[in-house]
Amino acid sequence: MEEIDEIKEVISNYDKDNIRIGVLASHSALQILHGAKKEGFETVLITIPEREGFYANFRHLIDKVVHINTWKEICRDEVIKKLQDLNVIIVPHGSMVEYVGSECFLDLKIPLFGSRKIMEVEADPRRKMQFLRSAGIPTPREFSLEEDFDDLVIVKLPGAKGGRGYFIAKGKRDVVKKLGNNRRDVIIQEYVVGARAYYHYFYSPILERLEILGIDIRYESNADSLGRLPKSDIEPSFTVIGNIPMVLRESLLPKVMDYGDKFVKATTNVERGGIAGPFCLESVVKDDLSIVVFEFSGRIVAGTNLYINGSPYSWLYWDEPMSMGRRIAREIKLALERDRLYDVLR
Ligand code: AMP
């Protein structure tokens, strides 16, 4: 519980009239900076030298730059002090835990809009699937090399991310052949046949409601392009290249919201107050219209970058252009107005 109180103390020393929104120069930083400016906040970009040139193209979105030489330097006392002196709230994104390491991330003495412990669960593939199952959300069947099976499976090697390091196999013999001696810590999952859909949720502790702000499909190489070739022996791979927008049959939305609600409820067992803000469930919709969730992200996903001007869903709640980045800043603003900042920070 120690770190929670420390965050409370850090916030109590912040100048609430000069809160700044900070982000690491990667992933969905541009959207987060843009949204923060739209809501009237000053912004802080935390960057390493290699990224400065690119982000300088968007200096109209950036009020202050905090320079670090390596991402891990964000954990140094003098950098933390500098960020605290600027009253910075950091919005963590998909690159943050990866770049700074989970140990530093969990204990970072800077308030975060977003989760710490749920992102820690996300970083562990087995805990992640266990979490989804315990939430009551349908997930793909899992197999072990101790049993015999003949199913079409997707094999996820340890350390695989962004879809890289996966392969498809048919039955145990094929899995064993393709794995070679590389058998430790692999996850063997039913390959769910259907159409993929990735749901962008936002949970608001202030309005006490779950919003669905967008849906996308990830475009993956080369799995999404194999249909262009004559039947060949090329193995499908799942490296994420970009994202494509999607709207869902409206009759599927109640189920999508139900799984989102279940997720939010389960997060209260993991972190003080549960999740605050963005998260994503990543699914396959089968031809019987059942939804199987094979992954979650406990923070903003890059697919939200599609909707910088709002999505067909965000308009239903807000009637104004509302990106995920802007929605985050709006929640911070609402919390400040109600003197409830601590309730949305972790
Ligand atoms: P992930 O890194 O878990 O998000 O997976 C990367 C990609 O692999 C997904 O976007 C899907 O295209 C594919 N994938 C992962 N798990 C499954 C599964 N159980 N069934 C079908 N496709 C999957």
Side-chain angles (χ1 to χ4, degrees):
M1 295 294 109
E2 197 194 350
E3 100 241 25
I4 292 173
D5 291 337
E6 286 188 10
I7 290 301
K8 194 171 205 169
E9 198 186 320
V10 173
I11 302 167
S12 69
N13 291 323
Y14 270 21
D15 173 359
K16 308 291 185 304
D17 295 325
N18 283 300
I19 293 290
R20 294 187 175 88
I21 294 185
V23 68
L24 262 60
S26 182
H27 195 264
S28 41
L30 292 173
Q31 186 202 149
I32 291 165
L33 296 165
H34 179 264
K37 296 297 284 179
K38 283 272 169 226
E39 292 299 303
F41 288 100
E42 285 208 354
T43 59
V44 177
L45 183 76
I46 305 153
T47 186
I48 53 170
E50 298 89 297
R51 297 283 166 93
E52 280 179 39
F54 170 70
Y55 283 90
N57 292 303
F58 301 94
R59 52 170 66 87
H60 54 287
L61 299 177
I62 303 163
D63 294 294
K64 300 222 177 306
V65 180
V66 169
H67 301 272
I68 45 182
N69 288 315
T70 65
W71 293 117
K72 286 195 192 303
E73 272 189 21
I74 197 175
C75 310
R76 285 171 60 163
D77 289 345
E78 59 273 27
V79 179
I80 290 171
K81 171 90 174 49
K82 196 185 279 181
L83 291 166
Q84 289 176 348
D85 288 347
L86 289 169
N87 308 304
V88 169
I89 294 170
I90 290 185
V91 178
H93 51 47
S95 305
M96 184 149 176
V97 182
E98 193 186 328
Y99 289 171
V100 308
S102 65
E103 237 165 78
C104 156
F105 174 76
L106 278 174
D107 283 339
L108 194 64
K109 300 291 175 287
I110 316 263
L112 300 184
F113 183 91
S115 71
R116 289 175 197 255
K117 299 200 174 125
I118 299 153
M119 285 178 74
E120 191 195 11
V121 175
E122 177 193 337
D124 179 334
R126 285 201 193 278
R127 273 183 79 193
K128 171 189 271 189
M129 295 315 292
Q130 180 50 38
F131 176 84
L132 287 170
R133 284 192 288 269
S134 68
I137 296 169
T139 55
R141 273 181 301 147
E142 271 187 27
F143 300 92
S144 95
L145 288 172
E146 261 81 81
E147 61 185 317
D148 206 14
F149 54 89
D150 195 30
D151 305 63
L152 187 65
V153 293
I154 180 163
V155 182
K156 305 184 176 183
L157 299 175
K161 45 184 170 272
R164 252 181 277 189
Y166 295 176
F167 66 82
I168 301 287
K170 176 86 173 67
K172 179 175 167 176
R173 276 180 66 171
D174 195 24
V175 173
V176 169
K177 194 171 112 204
K178 287 178 173 162
L179 275 177
N181 291 327
N182 228 351
R183 297 187 187 185
R184 279 187 54 168
D185 286 337
V186 290
I187 291 186
I188 306 168
Q189 229 172 48
E190 161 197 7
Y191 183 88
V192 186
V193 179
R196 287 159 300 137
Y198 304 72
Y199 317 110
H200 315 154
Y201 301 91
F202 185 95
Y203 180 70
S204 164
I206 299 296
L207 303 182
E208 290 181 9
R209 75 179 190 196
L210 179 66
E211 299 169 10
I212 176 138
L213 289 188
I215 304 174
D216 78 290
I217 307 174
R218 289 197 203 143
Y219 196 58
E220 292 163 350
S221 195
N222 53 28
D224 289 325
S225 339
L226 288 180
R228 302 178 64 182
L229 299 173
K231 203 167 162 23
S232 71
D233 293 335
I234 299 171
E235 292 282 342
S237 57
F238 301 89
T239 308
V240 180
I241 305 298
N243 304 80
I244 303 171
M246 181 184 201
V247 287
L248 209 63
R249 285 171 73 140
E250 196 158 310
S251 57
L252 281 170
L253 285 179
K255 200 179 289 173
V256 169
M257 288 307 273
D258 180 42
Y259 294 167
D261 282 330
K262 287 187 157 82
F263 183 90
V264 172
K265 192 151 173 256
T267 62
T268 58
N269 300 322
V270 179
E271 188 151 39
R272 166 185 64 89
I275 193 142
F279 67 97
C280 178
L281 294 181
E282 293 142 28
S283 80
V284 174
V285 185
K286 302 201 322 191
D287 61 5
D288 62 3
L289 297 180
S290 61
I291 299 177
V292 182
V293 176
F294 60 83
E295 166 100 281
F296 77 80
S297 304
R299 35 83 194 168
I300 186 169
V301 285
T304 61
N305 287 337
L306 282 166
Y307 302 118
I308 202 115
N309 208 29
S311 79
Y313 297 107
S314 70
W315 277 91
L316 300 173
Y317 298 98
W318 292 98
D319 238 345
E320 61 182 320
M322 185 62 75
S323 68
M324 189 63 86
R326 186 171 183 182
R327 183 65 189 86
I328 291 167
R330 177 69 57 91
E331 189 77 2
I332 295 172
K333 201 156 111 179
L334 292 174
L336 280 165
E337 282 165 13
R338 289 160 171 78
D339 202 15
R340 287 187 55 195
L341 196 54
Y342 182 61
D343 293 343
V344 299
L345 301 181
R346 301 291 181 258

Coordinates of all heavy atoms in Angstrom, one line a residue, residues 125-172:
P125 N 1.8 -13.1 -19.9 CA 0.8 -13.8 -20.7 C -0.1 -14.8 -20.0 O -1.3 -14.9 -20.3 CB 1.6 -14.5 -21.8 CG 2.9 -13.8 -21.8 CD 3.1 -13.3 -20.4
R126 N 0.4 -15.5 -19.0 CA -0.4 -16.5 -18.3 C -1.4 -15.8 -17.3 O -2.6 -16.2 -17.3 CB 0.4 -17.5 -17.6 CG 1.0 -18.5 -18.5 CD 1.4 -19.8 -17.9 NE 2.3 -20.5 -18.9 CZ 1.8 -21.2 -19.8 NH1 0.5 -21.4 -20.0 NH2 2.6 -21.8 -20.7
R127 N -0.9 -14.9 -16.6 CA -1.7 -14.1 -15.6 C -2.8 -13.4 -16.4 O -4.0 -13.3 -16.0 CB -0.9 -13.1 -14.9 CG -0.3 -13.7 -13.6 CD 0.4 -12.6 -12.9 NE -0.5 -11.7 -12.1 CZ -0.1 -10.6 -11.5 NH1 1.1 -10.1 -11.7 NH2 -1.0 -9.9 -10.8
K128 N -2.5 -12.9 -17.6 CA -3.4 -12.2 -18.4 C -4.6 -13.0 -18.8 O -5.8 -12.6 -18.6 CB -2.7 -11.7 -19.7 CG -3.6 -11.1 -20.7 CD -2.8 -10.9 -22.0 CE -2.2 -9.5 -21.9 NZ -1.5 -9.2 -23.2
M129 N -4.4 -14.3 -19.2 CA -5.5 -15.1 -19.7 C -6.3 -15.6 -18.4 O -7.5 -15.7 -18.5 CB -4.9 -16.3 -20.4 CG -4.3 -16.0 -21.8 SD -5.2 -14.8 -22.8 CE -6.6 -15.7 -23.2
Q130 N -5.5 -15.8 -17.3 CA -6.2 -16.2 -16.1 C -7.1 -15.1 -15.6 O -8.3 -15.4 -15.2 CB -5.1 -16.6 -15.0 CG -5.6 -17.0 -13.7 CD -6.7 -18.1 -13.8 OE1 -6.6 -19.0 -14.6 NE2 -7.7 -18.0 -13.0
F131 N -6.7 -13.9 -15.7 CA -7.5 -12.7 -15.3 C -8.8 -12.7 -16.1 O -9.9 -12.5 -15.6 CB -6.7 -11.5 -15.5 CG -7.4 -10.2 -15.2 CD1 -7.5 -9.8 -13.9 CD2 -8.1 -9.5 -16.2 CE1 -8.3 -8.6 -13.6 CE2 -8.9 -8.4 -15.9 CZ -9.0 -8.0 -14.6
L132 N -8.7 -12.8 -17.4 CA -9.9 -12.8 -18.3 C -10.8 -13.9 -17.9 O -12.0 -13.7 -17.8 CB -9.5 -12.9 -19.8 CG -8.8 -11.7 -20.4 CD1 -8.2 -12.1 -21.8 CD2 -9.8 -10.5 -20.5
R133 N -10.3 -15.1 -17.7 CA -11.2 -16.2 -17.3 C -11.9 -15.9 -16.0 O -13.1 -16.2 -15.9 CB -10.4 -17.5 -17.2 CG -10.0 -18.1 -18.6 CD -9.5 -19.5 -18.5 NE -8.1 -19.6 -17.9 CZ -7.0 -19.5 -18.6 NH1 -7.0 -19.5 -19.9 NH2 -5.8 -19.5 -18.0
S134 N -11.1 -15.4 -15.0 CA -11.7 -15.2 -13.7 C -12.8 -14.1 -13.8 O -13.7 -14.0 -13.0 CB -10.7 -14.9 -12.7 OG -10.1 -13.7 -12.9
A135 N -12.6 -13.2 -14.8 CA -13.6 -12.1 -14.9 C -14.9 -12.7 -15.6 O -15.9 -12.0 -15.6 CB -13.0 -11.0 -15.8
G136 N -14.9 -13.9 -16.1 CA -16.1 -14.5 -16.7 C -16.2 -14.1 -18.2 O -17.3 -14.2 -18.7
I137 N -15.1 -13.8 -18.8 CA -15.1 -13.5 -20.2 C -14.6 -14.7 -21.0 O -13.6 -15.3 -20.6 CB -14.1 -12.3 -20.5 CG1 -14.6 -11.0 -19.7 CG2 -13.9 -12.0 -21.9 CD1 -13.7 -9.9 -19.6
P138 N -15.3 -15.1 -22.1 CA -14.9 -16.3 -22.8 C -13.5 -16.1 -23.5 O -13.3 -15.1 -24.1 CB -16.0 -16.5 -23.9 CG -17.1 -15.6 -23.4 CD -16.5 -14.5 -22.6
T139 N -12.7 -17.1 -23.3 CA -11.3 -17.1 -23.9 C -11.1 -18.3 -24.7 O -11.8 -19.3 -24.6 CB -10.3 -17.0 -22.8 OG1 -10.5 -18.1 -21.9 CG2 -10.4 -15.7 -22.0
P140 N -10.0 -18.4 -25.6 CA -9.8 -19.6 -26.3 C -9.3 -20.7 -25.4 O -8.7 -20.5 -24.4 CB -8.6 -19.2 -27.2 CG -8.5 -17.7 -27.1 CD -9.1 -17.3 -25.9
R141 N -9.6 -21.9 -25.8 CA -9.1 -23.1 -25.1 C -7.6 -23.1 -25.1 O -7.0 -22.6 -26.1 CB -9.6 -24.4 -25.7 CG -11.0 -24.8 -25.2 CD -11.4 -26.1 -25.9 NE -11.5 -25.9 -27.3 CZ -11.2 -26.9 -28.2 NH1 -10.8 -28.1 -27.8 NH2 -11.3 -26.7 -29.5
E142 N -7.0 -23.6 -24.0 CA -5.6 -23.7 -24.0 C -5.2 -25.2 -23.9 O -5.9 -26.0 -23.3 CB -5.0 -23.0 -22.8 CG -4.7 -21.5 -23.2 CD -4.0 -20.7 -22.1 OE1 -3.3 -21.3 -21.3 OE2 -4.2 -19.5 -22.2
F143 N -4.0 -25.5 -24.5 CA -3.5 -26.9 -24.5 C -2.2 -26.9 -23.9 O -1.4 -25.9 -23.9 CB -3.4 -27.4 -26.0 CG -4.8 -27.4 -26.7 CD1 -5.1 -26.3 -27.5 CD2 -5.6 -28.4 -26.6 CE1 -6.4 -26.2 -28.1 CE2 -6.9 -28.4 -27.3 CZ -7.2 -27.3 -28.0
S144 N -1.8 -28.1 -23.4 CA -0.4 -28.3 -22.9 C 0.2 -29.5 -23.6 O -0.5 -30.3 -24.2 CB -0.5 -28.5 -21.4 OG -0.4 -29.9 -21.1
L145 N 1.5 -29.5 -23.6 CA 2.3 -30.6 -24.3 C 2.1 -31.9 -23.6 O 2.5 -32.9 -24.1 CB 3.7 -30.2 -24.5 CG 3.9 -29.1 -25.5 CD1 5.4 -28.6 -25.5 CD2 3.5 -29.5 -26.9
E146 N 1.5 -31.8 -22.4 CA 1.3 -33.1 -21.6 C 0.1 -33.9 -22.2 O -0.1 -35.0 -21.9 CB 1.0 -32.8 -20.1 CG 2.2 -33.0 -19.2 CD 3.1 -31.7 -19.2 OE1 2.7 -30.8 -18.6 OE2 4.1 -31.8 -20.0
E147 N -0.7 -33.2 -23.0 CA -1.9 -33.9 -23.5 C -1.8 -34.0 -25.0 O -1.0 -33.4 -25.6 CB -3.2 -33.1 -23.1 CG -3.1 -31.7 -23.7 CD -4.3 -30.8 -23.3 OE1 -5.4 -31.3 -23.3 OE2 -4.0 -29.6 -23.1
D148 N -2.7 -34.9 -25.5 CA -2.7 -35.1 -27.0 C -3.9 -34.2 -27.5 O -4.9 -34.1 -26.9 CB -3.0 -36.5 -27.3 CG -2.4 -36.9 -28.6 OD1 -1.6 -36.1 -29.2 OD2 -2.7 -38.0 -29.2
F149 N -3.6 -33.6 -28.7 CA -4.7 -32.8 -29.3 C -4.5 -32.7 -30.8 O -3.4 -32.9 -31.3 CB -4.8 -31.4 -28.7 CG -3.5 -30.6 -28.7 CD1 -3.2 -29.8 -29.8 CD2 -2.6 -30.7 -27.7 CE1 -2.0 -29.1 -29.9 CE2 -1.4 -30.0 -27.7 CZ -1.1 -29.2 -28.8
D150 N -5.6 -32.5 -31.5 CA -5.5 -32.5 -33.0 C -6.0 -31.2 -33.5 O -6.2 -31.0 -34.7 CB -6.4 -33.7 -33.5 CG -6.1 -33.9 -34.9 OD1 -4.9 -33.7 -35.3 OD2 -7.0 -34.3 -35.6
D151 N -6.1 -30.2 -32.7 CA -6.8 -28.9 -33.1 C -5.8 -28.0 -33.8 O -4.6 -28.1 -33.6 CB -7.3 -28.2 -31.8 CG -8.2 -29.1 -31.0 OD1 -7.8 -30.1 -30.5 OD2 -9.4 -28.7 -30.9
L152 N -6.4 -27.0 -34.5 CA -5.6 -25.9 -35.1 C -5.3 -25.0 -33.9 O -6.2 -24.5 -33.2 CB -6.5 -25.2 -36.1 CG -5.8 -24.1 -37.0 CD1 -4.7 -24.8 -37.8 CD2 -6.8 -23.4 -37.9
V153 N -4.0 -24.7 -33.7 CA -3.6 -23.9 -32.6 C -2.7 -22.7 -33.0 O -2.1 -22.8 -34.1 CB -2.9 -24.7 -31.5 CG1 -3.9 -25.7 -30.9 CG2 -1.7 -25.4 -32.0
I154 N -2.7 -21.7 -32.2 CA -1.7 -20.6 -32.4 C -0.7 -20.8 -31.2 O -1.1 -20.9 -30.0 CB -2.3 -19.3 -32.5 CG1 -1.3 -18.1 -32.7 CG2 -3.2 -18.9 -31.4 CD1 -1.9 -16.8 -33.3
V155 N 0.6 -20.8 -31.5 CA 1.6 -21.0 -30.4 C 2.3 -19.7 -30.2 O 2.8 -19.0 -31.1 CB 2.6 -22.1 -30.9 CG1 3.6 -22.4 -29.8 CG2 1.8 -23.4 -31.2
K156 N 2.3 -19.3 -28.9 CA 2.9 -18.0 -28.6 C 4.1 -18.2 -27.7 O 4.1 -18.7 -26.6 CB 1.8 -17.2 -27.8 CG 0.5 -17.0 -28.6 CD -0.5 -16.1 -27.9 CE -1.7 -16.0 -28.8 NZ -2.8 -15.0 -28.3
L157 N 5.3 -17.8 -28.3 CA 6.5 -18.1 -27.6 C 6.7 -17.0 -26.6 O 6.2 -15.9 -26.6 CB 7.7 -18.0 -28.7 CG 7.6 -19.0 -29.8 CD1 8.7 -18.8 -30.8 CD2 7.7 -20.4 -29.3
P158 N 7.6 -17.3 -25.5 CA 7.8 -16.3 -24.5 C 8.4 -15.1 -25.0 O 9.2 -15.2 -25.9 CB 8.7 -17.0 -23.5 CG 9.2 -18.3 -24.1 CD 8.3 -18.6 -25.3
G159 N 8.0 -13.9 -24.5 CA 8.6 -12.7 -25.0 C 7.9 -12.2 -26.3 O 8.3 -11.1 -26.8
A160 N 7.0 -13.0 -26.9 CA 6.4 -12.5 -28.2 C 5.6 -11.3 -27.9 O 4.9 -11.2 -26.9 CB 5.5 -13.7 -28.7
K161 N 5.6 -10.3 -28.8 CA 4.7 -9.2 -28.6 C 4.5 -8.5 -30.0 O 5.2 -8.8 -30.9 CB 5.3 -8.2 -27.6 CG 6.7 -7.8 -27.8 CD 7.1 -6.9 -26.7 CE 8.6 -6.7 -26.5 NZ 9.4 -7.5 -25.8
G162 N 3.4 -7.8 -30.0 CA 3.0 -7.1 -31.2 C 2.7 -8.1 -32.3 O 2.8 -7.8 -33.5
G163 N 2.3 -9.4 -31.9 CA 2.0 -10.4 -32.9 C 3.2 -11.1 -33.4 O 3.1 -12.2 -34.0
R164 N 4.4 -10.6 -33.1 CA 5.7 -11.3 -33.5 C 6.0 -12.5 -32.6 O 5.8 -12.4 -31.4 CB 6.8 -10.3 -33.5 CG 7.3 -10.0 -34.9 CD 8.4 -9.0 -34.9 NE 7.9 -7.7 -34.7 CZ 8.7 -6.6 -34.8 NH1 10.0 -6.7 -35.1 NH2 8.2 -5.4 -34.6
G165 N 6.5 -13.6 -33.2 CA 6.9 -14.7 -32.4 C 5.7 -15.7 -32.2 O 5.7 -16.4 -31.2
Y166 N 4.7 -15.7 -33.1 CA 3.6 -16.6 -33.0 C 3.7 -17.5 -34.2 O 4.2 -17.1 -35.3 CB 2.2 -15.9 -33.1 CG 1.9 -15.0 -32.0 CD1 0.7 -14.3 -32.0 CD2 2.7 -14.9 -30.8 CE1 0.4 -13.5 -30.9 CE2 2.4 -14.1 -29.8 CZ 1.2 -13.4 -29.8 OH 0.8 -12.6 -28.8
F167 N 3.2 -18.8 -34.1 CA 3.1 -19.6 -35.3 C 1.8 -20.5 -35.2 O 1.3 -20.7 -34.1 CB 4.3 -20.4 -35.6 CG 4.7 -21.4 -34.6 CD1 4.1 -22.7 -34.6 CD2 5.7 -21.2 -33.7 CE1 4.4 -23.7 -33.7 CE2 6.0 -22.2 -32.8 CZ 5.4 -23.4 -32.8
I168 N 1.4 -20.9 -36.3 CA 0.2 -21.8 -36.4 C 0.6 -23.2 -36.5 O 1.6 -23.5 -37.2 CB -0.7 -21.4 -37.6 CG1 -1.1 -19.9 -37.6 CG2 -1.9 -22.3 -37.8 CD1 -2.1 -19.6 -36.6
A169 N -0.1 -24.1 -35.9 CA 0.2 -25.5 -36.0 C -1.1 -26.3 -36.0 O -2.1 -25.8 -35.5 CB 1.2 -26.0 -34.9
K170 N -1.0 -27.6 -36.5 CA -2.2 -28.4 -36.5 C -1.9 -29.6 -35.6 O -1.1 -30.5 -36.1 CB -2.6 -28.8 -37.9 CG -3.7 -29.7 -38.1 CD -5.1 -29.0 -38.1 CE -6.2 -29.9 -38.4 NZ -6.5 -30.9 -37.4
G171 N -2.4 -29.7 -34.4 CA -2.2 -30.9 -33.6 C -0.8 -30.8 -32.9 O 0.1 -30.1 -33.2
K172 N -0.7 -31.7 -31.9 CA 0.5 -31.7 -31.0 C 1.7 -32.0 -31.8 O 2.8 -31.4 -31.5 CB 0.2 -32.7 -29.9 CG 1.4 -32.8 -28.9 CD 1.1 -33.8 -27.8 CE 2.4 -34.1 -27.1 NZ 2.2 -34.9 -25.9

